[in-house]
Amino acid sequence: MTSEEAQRGYHHGNLRTALIAAGVELARTGGPSAVLLRAASREAGVSHNAAYRHFANQEDLVAAVAERCMEHLGRLMVARMDEVTERGPVPRALARLAAIGRAYIDFARTEPGWFRTAFSSARPHDDAGPPLSEMDESLSPYALLTARLDEVADVGAIAADRRPGAEYVAWSAVHGISSLLLDGPLRALPGAEVEQVIETVLAGVTRSLGA
Amino acid sequence: MTSEEAQRGYHHGNLRTALIAAGVELARTGGPSAVLLRAASREAGVSHNAAYRHFANQEDLVAAVAERCMEHLGRLMVARMDEVTERGPVPRALARLAAIGRAYIDFARTEPGWFRTAFSSARPHDDAGPPLSEMDESLSPYALLTARLDEVADVGAIAADRRPGAEYVAWSAVHGISSLLLDGPLRALPGAEVEQVIETVLAGVTRSLGA
DNA sequence: TGTACATCAGTGAACGCGCGTTCACTGATGTAC
DNA sequence: TGTACATCAGTGAACGCGCGTTCACTGATGTAC
């Protein structure tokens, strides 16, 4: 049902998918404010009000595009995590944690439009209840981070009293440096210095865990 | 010269100041994208193209407004820092550092429009050369942070090898939690939990210094 | 002190732009009998 | 298998909106002599 539908082609059929794909491309270059109904329709080769058959309004389209951007981020994190080659349990767990942090930062730097879009309309994170989105939960950056921290705790590389709230410390640092490199006063920092700053921040996170 | 000018009133005279003030109010409610030439002119009670006598274009106005927002942030940081009552050198230095971090986060939460605007057009941070802006350097959040870290180092509460790059670790964590609370999945977190998260992050920063 | 003139700050009308959204419509697809 | 009909997906024209920016202008301010 889903897979045949996705193959059917544009002119009749999966316009919703096509519009989201077009929106993702617009977001890539121009960020969330470039995700316009008319532009996406144009890109999809369709009249500019056909979109209303698939989205209630522009906000709806942006939300769908944002979800795809978040998925892209999650996928990069998983890919980088899986590349880790360390063998010992402790080095491996720490390397996997660092890898997803690195991926997050790299995503912000190489795909700033997607990064900004992903967080422009993020739904609130609710602990209970059915998910508000259709996104694969295993690609959620937050879920990935939690799993990594659990891993680190499992191998005993983090003091028990430092596990609670560790998500926020790690996420804040990584999200913060990403934002500062994009929008902040670090925007024009030369490449070599950027590398050093990233290393320092990631090391700071590890250290704050008491590892 | 500057002070008489600033008192002269709107209708003839310091329209530039009036437009920036109007822009700051617009930014407060609607963020950087609400800082429009026509809206600011309207607010200042002037025809919508009078602004071109004082600003080259809209971007110019936004940059001026952003600078004022950054000043507001700096002022809050200084005020909170000066409220610290701790007496011993080490607790005092650490409390002053935590106070500016708290102020930064509080500013983001209570004045999200200003916070976003401040970072929407931040000029690159350059180490040498004349300042690109007219902003009082002593109100620069970065300068304030550096001074606080120096203080902490001076009283011996931070290992010498951890001082380099400490700005980035602290700033990233504080900026990150601020952004996540505004735009990220933490947006809808209940107030009590927010307090706890902030405490955890600030504690993580202190810990990462080895203090 | 008075006058001629340049300069400066603001006005009002107009331009073109692209957007979101709504309307009545058309043509294709699917379904009941 | 054929036919009538409902439903669905897309069209094309139009609306109103507010914006940035430019133009020729006017009236006030300041300055040289």
Side-chain angles (χ1 to χ4, degrees):
Chain A
M1 169 182 170
T2 47
S3 117
E4 306 102 67
E5 230 171 42
Q7 309 300 347
R8 219 192 292 163
Y10 285 1
H11 300 96
H12 286 282
N14 57 347
L15 179 56
R16 183 184 165 87
T17 305
L19 287 169
I20 294 177
V24 167
E25 276 320 298
L26 292 166
R28 188 173 208 168
T29 314
S33 67
V35 181
L36 305 171
L37 278 178
R38 289 176 102 112
S41 303
R42 212 180 296 131
E43 206 67 22
V46 108
S47 78
H48 60 263
N49 45 359
Y52 286 91
R53 295 285 158 196
H54 303 280
F55 301 95
N57 50 34
Q58 187 201 12
E59 196 188 335
D60 233 47
L61 172 62
V62 176
V65 169
E67 200 170 294
R68 290 286 292 264
C69 293
M70 197 63 94
E71 276 180 30
H72 271 110
L73 169 55
R75 250 186 279 276
L76 182 65
M77 291 170 77
V78 169
R80 292 288 185 79
M81 179 181 87
D82 289 345
E83 283 170 11
V84 164
T85 55
E86 268 80 355
R87 286 309 193 85
V90 170
R92 178 175 175 78
L94 289 174
R96 279 159 63 91
L97 173 62
I100 65 167
R102 259 251 166 232
Y104 193 103
I105 297 166
D106 287 352
F107 184 78
R109 292 179 66 211
T110 57
E111 299 290 355
W114 283 349
F115 183 77
R116 277 192 263 259
T117 305
F119 288 97
S120 71
S121 87
R123 308 271 171 70
H125 170 253
D126 58 347
D127 310 75
L132 292 169
S133 74
E134 310 145 11
M135 181 178 149
D136 185 349
E137 199 42 41
S138 71
L139 292 177
S140 147
Y142 180 76
L144 286 168
L145 172 59
T146 300
R148 252 16 76 214
L149 288 171
D150 284 346
E151 256 177 33
V152 173
D154 284 349
V155 299
I158 175 177
D161 65 322
R162 292 198 183 164
R163 179 61 190 83
E167 280 88 349
Y168 298 120
V169 177
W171 198 2
S172 294
V174 166
H175 188 83
I177 192 62
S178 301
S179 302
L180 286 173
L181 288 169
L182 288 191
D183 294 325
L186 274 56
R187 201 169 7 186
L189 215 62
E193 290 187 44
V194 167
E195 283 307 312
Q196 204 153 0
V197 168
I198 293 172
E199 287 307 322
T200 307
V201 169
L202 288 176
V205 169
T206 310
R207 200 154 53 218
S208 81
L209 298 176
Chain B
M1 168 183 169
T2 47
S3 116
E4 306 102 66
E5 231 171 42
Q7 311 298 349
R8 218 193 290 163
Y10 286 0
H11 300 95
H12 286 283
N14 57 348
L15 179 56
R16 184 185 163 88
T17 305
L19 287 169
I20 295 177
V24 167
E25 277 320 298
L26 291 167
R28 189 173 208 168
T29 314
S33 67
V35 181
L36 305 171
L37 278 178
R38 290 176 101 112
S41 303
R42 211 181 296 131
E43 207 67 22
V46 107
S47 79
H48 59 263
N49 44 358
Y52 287 91
R53 296 282 160 198
H54 303 280
F55 300 94
N57 49 35
Q58 187 201 9
E59 195 188 337
D60 233 45
L61 172 63
V62 176
V65 169
E67 201 170 292
R68 290 286 292 263
C69 293
M70 197 64 94
E71 276 179 29
H72 271 109
L73 169 56
R75 249 186 280 276
L76 181 65
M77 290 170 78
V78 169
R80 292 289 185 79
M81 179 181 87
D82 288 346
E83 283 170 11
V84 163
T85 55
E86 269 80 355
R87 286 308 193 87
V90 170
R92 177 173 175 80
L94 289 174
R96 279 160 62 89
L97 173 62
I100 64 166
R102 260 250 167 233
Y104 194 102
I105 298 166
D106 288 352
F107 184 78
R109 291 178 66 210
T110 58
E111 300 290 356
W114 282 351
F115 183 77
R116 277 192 264 259
T117 306
F119 287 97
S120 71
S121 87
R123 309 271 172 69
H125 170 253
D126 58 346
D127 308 75
L132 292 168
S133 75
E134 310 145 12
M135 181 178 149
D136 184 349
E137 199 41 42
S138 72
L139 291 177
S140 146
Y142 180 76
L144 287 167
L145 172 59
T146 300
R148 253 15 76 212
L149 288 171
D150 284 346
E151 256 178 31
V152 173
D154 284 349
V155 299
I158 175 178
D161 66 321
R162 292 198 182 163
R163 178 63 189 81
E167 280 89 349
Y168 298 121
V169 177
W171 197 2
S172 294
V174 165
H175 187 83
I177 192 62
S178 300
S179 302
L180 287 173
L181 288 169
L182 288 191
D183 294 325
L186 275 55
R187 201 169 5 187
L189 215 61
E193 290 187 43
V194 167
E195 283 308 312
Q196 203 153 2
V197 167
I198 294 173
E199 287 306 321
T200 306
V201 169
L202 289 176
V205 169
T206 309
R207 199 153 54 217
S208 81
L209 298 175

